[in-house]
Amino acid sequence: MTGFLALLSSLIWWVLFGSIGAVLPSLIAWIVLRWSEGAPVVFNRTYLACLIWSLLTLLIGAMAAAHAGITRPPLGPLLASGAFRVALVLSMLIGVAALWRLIPRVDARRIRIGSACVAVGVVMAVVFGIATTLIST
């Protein structure tokens, strides 16, 4: 019973942190997609796509950290590990696929895959800049 409760608690925290972590990327992606598409896009679908992307990124990042053996601070060496770089590339591919497949424009057409790539690139640049700043302090 204790193991079940620990697993349930871990899943609740995973979803909670994933949903908190999806707010800023969804705002950035929504702004970039509005600019890139030249037409309004649906924000709640942008948040859903970023939530799925965030949840999978947390899972992939945790697996990469466990593989590299870096699960406690300082996390600086994790950014230089090969497993984490592969996890970042996989995360970006998942992000592009989630944004492209889940976000419609208001005219009910899907966004372009190039727009999804630009949005993921901008989100990753901002988030990686924030992460490296926080780790270096």
Side-chain angles (χ1 to χ4, degrees), residues 33 37 41 99-100 103-105 109-113 115-116:
L33 288 173
E37 286 291 317
V41 293
L99 292 176
W100 177 59
I103 301 175
R105 297 182 344 182
R109 292 187 311 161
R110 186 180 297 152
I111 63 169
R112 295 184 309 260
I113 195 160
S115 298

Side-chain angles (χ1 to χ4, degrees), residues 48-64:
L48 175 66
C50 287
L51 176 62
I52 291 170
W53 179 25
S54 174
L55 289 173
L56 292 176
T57 298
L58 282 171
L59 186 63
I60 293 168
M63 290 187 329

